[in-house]
Amino acid sequence: MQILTYPDPQLKHESLPVERFDTELQAFIQELEETMRAGPGGVGIAAPQVGRLQRIVIVDVSSARKPVPNHGRMVLVNPEITQWKGMAVGREGCMSVPDYTGNVIRAEAITLTAKNEFGEHQEFQCEGYEARAVQHELDHLDGLLFLDRLVSRHRDLFRRKVYQ
Amino acid sequence: MAEWSMLTLVGEDRPGIVAAVTEVLFASGCNLGETAMVRLGGNFSMMLMVSRPTDGCALDEKLSSVMERFGLQLHQSAIIGELHSHLQPNLQLVVYGADRAGIVASVTAKLAEAGFHILDLRTDVGGSSRDPIYVMEIEGYADQEAAELEQRLEPLRQQGVEWRLSTIDLMVG
């Protein structure tokens, strides 16, 4: 599948919840995952990035350049963040915004609930780099890009979070 | 293909310089690429990548009235406009100390020895005129591990220079 890039208007739309957990959904999620893995360094992808305005994201930071705490491959359908803790500045980029990176403030730890591709309930507690990736992807579901959350590169409000 | 120049304009700082300069460039059919503009010790300093129409318009003539109005000096050089090819920094170094001559030279000498590629560097002088503080922020790329670089930088502490090296862990989603 092709990844849409800004200024494609679909990236600024709010996505709708998934209601049917069928084989079509599962096939789409598989293709979405292949698209994520083919991307340049992508550790996450959201359905609207390929033009499907539904609340579906995949995050997998298990092969990040530097090992970080992670849950492996997470398929998050209709995800909701229920708790946030801490704040940190980190550098983000996006497959939908090529050749630009910037600083974004995110919660350091989050608790979230979601369905998987089969409609089963899941709950995760994520921290650090993985929590950042999840928040970045969930923003896509609300039509937000990291560009909407940029903070100064030269005047960090918080000391940079180093994930190790 | 667009013809790119790097324009450098410097003058005593006052409000309205950016608007006046960029309005002239826009009206002359120019397009801006990446730019950096900052107030340095009471002077406003602008570096602008400018692509201009190939009709050979002389920018110094077009800018002359604005330059006169704001007391700006202009320098132009022809450049290759290499857009869409950012290098990603993987390290950030923040340095500070009581101001004295040679801090930038000694720090960057250590970095150059390590093959550290500086992508962004800013320095500032804070404190008071009696006790000035020098602060430098650098972002760049190095193949070397942060720990190896830290070893190289360690002797600077004996010279009264404090520093902190951190990795920039880019997350691409």
Side-chain angles (χ1 to χ4, degrees), chain B residues 72-121:
Chain B
L72 299 172
Q73 291 185 49
L74 169 72
H75 182 265
Q76 282 193 73
S77 30
I79 55 161
I80 295 169
E82 202 177 271
L83 293 174
H84 314 296
S85 52
H86 281 103
L87 298 174
Q88 287 306 325
N90 64 347
L91 291 165
Q92 183 191 55
L93 178 66
V94 177
V95 176
Y96 74 90
D99 187 20
R100 62 169 172 79
I103 294 176
V104 177
S106 57
V107 172
T108 56
K110 302 276 182 200
L111 296 177
E113 279 168 25
F116 184 102
H117 186 166
I118 294 174
L119 300 171
D120 190 304
L121 185 153

Side-chain angles (χ1 to χ4, degrees), chain A residues 8-15 48 53 139-144:
Chain A
D8 191 304
Q10 292 181 91
L11 292 166
K12 301 296 289 176
H13 272 277
E14 199 171 332
S15 292
L53 297 178
D139 265 355
H140 280 298
L141 306 181
D142 294 322
L144 290 172

Side-chain angles (χ1 to χ4, degrees), chain A residues 92-141:
Chain A
E92 297 187 18
C94 182
M95 292 189 285
S96 296
V97 185
D99 197 49
Y100 188 81
T101 62
N103 283 345
V104 178
I105 298 171
R106 302 284 187 189
E108 280 189 281
I110 52 172
T111 304
L112 72 146
T113 61
K115 307 271 193 204
N116 65 11
E117 60 265 61
F118 307 106
E120 296 158 351
H121 178 81
Q122 335 173 72
E123 186 170 322
F124 296 101
Q125 286 179 341
C126 303
E127 60 174 285
Y129 193 84
E130 184 178 58
R132 175 170 297 275
V134 167
Q135 291 168 84
H136 175 113
E137 298 312 332
L138 262 59
D139 265 355
H140 280 298
L141 306 181

Side-chain angles (χ1 to χ4, degrees), chain B residues 38-55:
Chain B
V38 66
R39 179 184 154 102
L40 300 174
N43 304 282
F44 199 69
S45 168
M46 310 168 73
M47 285 181 288
L48 308 102
M49 275 182 75
V50 175
S51 84
R52 47 183 170 157
T54 43
D55 66 357

Side-chain angles (χ1 to χ4, degrees), chain B residues 122-133:
Chain B
R122 286 196 182 202
T123 72
D124 215 336
V125 182
S128 62
S129 51
R130 206 177 123 192
D131 290 309
I133 303 165

